[in-house]
Amino acid sequence: MDHFSYRRRILHCEEVPIPSLAERYGTPLYVYSKATLLHHLRQLQHAFAAVRPLICYSVKTNGNLHICRLMIEHGAGADVTSGGELYRALRSGATGDKIVFAGVGKTDAEFRYALDSNILMFNVESEAELHALAEVAGQLGRPARVALRVNPALPPKTHVKTDTSVKGTKFGLDIDSLLEFARPMVRHPHVQVVGLHMHLGSPILTTEPYREGVEKGLLLIDALRQQGHPIEYLNMGGGFGIHYRRQAALPASAFAEVIVPAVQKARCKLILEPGRFIVGNAGILVSRVLYTKDSGGKHFVIQDAAMNDLIRPTLYDSFHRIWPVAPADDIPAPPTDYEDDIPGTIKTEVVGPICESGDFLAHDRRLPPLHRGELLAIFSAGAYGMSMSSNYNGRCRAAEVLVDGATHRLIRRRETFEDLVRAEIEV
Ligand SMILES: *Cc1c(COP(=O)(O)O)cnc(C)c1O
């Protein structure tokens, strides 16, 4: 469920009409709904309540300080993948004891920063990383708590670029050699193995991968304990899918049904690292139509949002629902399932101004006829939208607005030309 709905033929975020935000802040514009963000966080908190999980919001999904702070104020911790994200988490009010740090290429400087911040644990992804971490921890005289990130070698389950738990990806420790690797780490002076971690990939639309993952995880936890490791945590990562093209996602309770019994059986504390599930459908990207043209047998709508604002279609062939913000009287409601033919629509290429043929938001999409100046809503853009944005083609990054009931707040101003050259040395 989200709080973006058409009222009297005008798209609203909670109580605020989208055209008023576009008028005030310009386009392209990211608009987030506070009620939706909190609703999704609470769904997870309720579904997993029996095991009182630590829910570490995945900062890479959308790192805006206001969004991170909202999560933290409502009980979440933070899952970070770099020193920069650790900085964001701390700036947003997260305390070290609720921060976990993942990633295959952590630097010594990042180890130091995280140890000084007294984070809960590192998710360690290779033998070499563990040795480097041990060395830094030894130098600082601060023992590091770690979870071993296992690659459970599951069958493919999502887009090849975001599937992290098939054999042969760069992520995690090989399941076959993990125990051999862990044996000599027992009672290590600088590193304590306290958890097992896996992040299966994203977005995942069935429970099966989690079922297989926890099954393998339970066996490993048993074996690690037999070796003498005090395993207290099972971290099942993120990856819970959301509705993009149609109503395809599972409720949080479906994942809980699979994960909770395993956690109880293992007598572990559960950590989750959701990102997309919380923020994906809590944000839209609003753009304005610049031009339309017909060429090469196709109908193009050129609007002012581009791959630098939202790269998911280009990078992953992702599907985002797109519909006019204020459709004309004879235009039907936006479809929830794009398999249907929609009367009165035409096949449209929705593209941006960037000089790349890969700069598109939708191919062959059935849309009503659009006109210069019309506003478009690109739905489900809250996750991996702004956080993957860039300045390519000299484009200023979009502004971000957080709506709360009938009020709203600018949480990131639109960049200026001056921002574009700020870090460059004066010529
Ligand atoms: C990206 C990532 C997540 C978040 O994934 P979502 O699909 O957004 O929930 C969680 N954990 C790790 C280690 C990640 O890399």
Side-chain angles (χ1 to χ4, degrees):
M1 188 187 93
D2 63 47
H3 290 78
F4 295 92
S5 58
Y6 284 85
R7 298 187 194 171
R8 298 169 306 279
R9 314 198 67 81
I10 290 176
L11 182 63
H12 285 61
C13 175
E14 304 191 20
E15 308 299 320
V16 178
I18 297 296
S20 69
L21 296 175
E23 211 50 58
R24 176 143 177 200
Y25 299 112
T27 53
L29 178 72
Y30 276 100
V31 179
Y32 306 109
S33 153
K34 178 176 169 182
T36 310
L37 286 162
L38 291 181
H39 175 66
H40 292 158
L41 176 62
R42 288 196 186 110
Q43 279 183 322
L44 288 167
Q45 287 168 331
H46 287 160
F48 289 90
V51 292
R52 296 164 36 84
L54 173 58
I55 295 178
C56 291
Y57 171 65
S58 164
V59 173
K60 78 167 192 278
T61 310
N62 186 322
N64 186 290
L65 295 174
H66 292 259
I67 289 177
C68 292
R69 172 170 297 246
L70 194 63
M71 293 295 110
I72 287 154
E73 280 174 353
H74 288 82
D79 159 42
V80 303
T81 58
S82 69
E85 286 185 0
L86 175 55
Y87 177 77
R88 279 192 180 280
L90 294 169
R91 277 284 297 262
S92 312
T95 50
D97 61 332
K98 286 186 168 180
I99 298 177
V100 295
F101 194 156
V104 296
K106 305 178 196 79
T107 64
D108 284 7
E110 287 175 325
F111 289 142
R112 256 178 251 121
Y113 182 26
L115 286 165
D116 283 339
S117 309
N118 207 10
I119 68 161
L120 180 60
M121 76 185 79
F122 297 86
N123 296 327
V124 164
E125 309 218 11
S126 67
E127 185 164 2
E129 181 195 342
L130 195 87
H131 293 308
L133 172 59
E135 199 170 312
V136 175
Q139 285 160 5
L140 294 184
R142 286 175 178 276
R145 284 173 299 275
V146 310
L148 301 180
R149 176 172 181 174
V150 63
N151 180 340
L154 301 181
K157 57 203 96 41
T158 181
H159 191 280
V160 64
K161 285 183 187 155
T162 55
D163 199 338
T164 56
S165 61
V166 285
K167 204 171 170 157
T169 71
K170 68 177 179 180
F171 296 102
L173 295 151
D174 263 347
I175 188 160
D176 302 328
S177 51
L178 184 128
L179 291 172
E180 201 180 311
F181 158 66
R183 189 170 293 113
M185 304 310 298
V186 179
R187 280 181 286 281
H188 189 287
H190 308 308
V191 170
Q192 197 181 23
V193 179
V194 296
L196 184 76
H197 174 255
M198 63 183 88
H199 170 63
L200 303 179
S202 180
I204 298 179
L205 297 170
T206 66
T207 56
E208 195 48 35
Y210 291 94
R211 190 185 307 280
E212 291 174 53
V214 289
E215 205 171 287
K216 294 186 177 193
L218 285 186
L219 295 174
L220 283 172
I221 287 173
D222 263 351
L224 287 167
R225 282 177 174 157
Q226 270 171 30
Q227 288 182 341
H229 291 291
I231 304 295
E232 298 167 52
Y233 296 92
L234 174 60
N235 183 338
M236 287 302 294
F240 309 135
I242 61 168
H243 305 313
Y244 282 112
R245 184 189 291 262
R246 59 181 82 86
Q247 307 291 306
L250 293 173
S253 55
F255 297 105
E257 270 170 37
V258 172
I259 295 172
V260 165
V263 172
Q264 287 168 330
K265 202 165 159 202
R267 288 165 288 107
C268 274
K269 173 119 180 124
L270 176 66
I271 300 177
L272 295 171
E273 303 170 336
R276 192 190 311 271
F277 187 89
I278 292 174
V279 72
N281 283 335
I284 64 170
L285 176 59
V286 181
S287 74
R288 202 179 276 282
V289 174
L290 294 169
Y291 308 107
T292 62
K293 76 170 183 182
D294 293 286
S295 106
K298 298 213 176 215
H299 178 62
F300 289 89
V301 166
I302 301 153
Q303 40 80 68
D304 63 5
M307 64 187 274
N308 76 298
D309 301 301
L310 179 66
I311 204 173
R312 298 189 68 255
T314 305
L315 196 57
Y316 312 127
D317 285 316
S318 306
F319 185 101
H320 288 268
R321 293 169 62 213
I322 298 178
W323 207 248
V325 163
D329 285 347
D330 52 342
I331 300 302
T336 48
D337 190 329
Y338 274 88
E339 297 306 288
D340 304 336
D341 244 10
I342 311 154
T345 59
I346 39 180
K347 273 200 177 168
T348 305
E349 299 288 307
V350 182
V351 302
I354 283 183
C355 303
E356 298 253 354
S357 40
D359 177 30
F360 69 95
L361 296 178
H363 279 316
D364 273 344
R365 183 67 60 83
R366 293 211 154 268
L367 282 172
L370 296 168
H371 308 285
R372 179 171 165 81
E374 243 182 295
L375 292 171
L376 289 179
I378 299 133
F379 290 90
S380 311
Y384 308 103
M386 190 63 183
S387 68
M388 294 181 91
S389 66
S390 78
N391 292 120
Y392 186 42
N393 264 219
R395 287 172 55 86
C396 300
R397 257 177 270 238
E400 295 178 290
V401 174
L402 181 60
V403 170
D404 178 9
T407 67
H408 65 270
R409 181 169 182 190
L410 186 67
I411 57 171
R412 181 180 165 116
R413 64 165 173 80
R414 184 173 304 284
E415 284 180 351
T416 63
F417 294 157
E418 189 53 35
D419 291 325
L420 296 179
V421 296
R422 188 166 305 267
E424 290 167 41
I425 309 302
E426 203 60 46
V427 288

